[in-house]
Amino acid sequence: MSTADNRVVLTIEEAAKRLGIGRTTMYALVMSGEIRSVTIGRLRRVPVRCLDEYVTRLLNQPVAPAA
């Protein structure tokens, strides 16, 4: 396991890669507040915990019945 796997916060690009989505989509999710982030100095970082919260919210959404 690499050191990057143990970090508490990730860059936008790293968070996007971890979710398997594009950087632009990740920025949109962060800017809309769907995924929380923090500012450390001038840097925007995404806590790993916030990625987990986002996925949990997605899993808890009601599933639309098949048409």
Side-chain angles (χ1 to χ4, degrees):
M1 185 176 279
S2 72
T3 304
D5 293 339
N6 296 324
R7 289 188 311 179
V8 177
V9 294
L10 304 171
T11 66
I12 297 289
E13 290 80 6
E14 291 166 339
K17 185 174 181 179
R18 188 163 179 152
L19 289 178
I21 61 175
R23 184 175 67 98
T24 303
T25 301
M26 187 68 200
Y27 270 107
L29 289 168
V30 167
M31 292 303 130
S32 71
E34 287 189 65
I35 295 179
R36 297 185 303 151
S37 64
V38 296
T39 302
I40 301 173
R42 293 175 40 194
L43 305 173
R44 173 73 53 189
R45 294 293 183 256
V46 179
V48 172
R49 181 180 91 181
C50 294
L51 294 179
D52 295 338
E53 290 171 0
Y54 174 70
V55 172
T56 299
R57 279 195 314 275
L58 290 177
L59 287 170
N60 289 331
Q61 288 179 355
V63 177

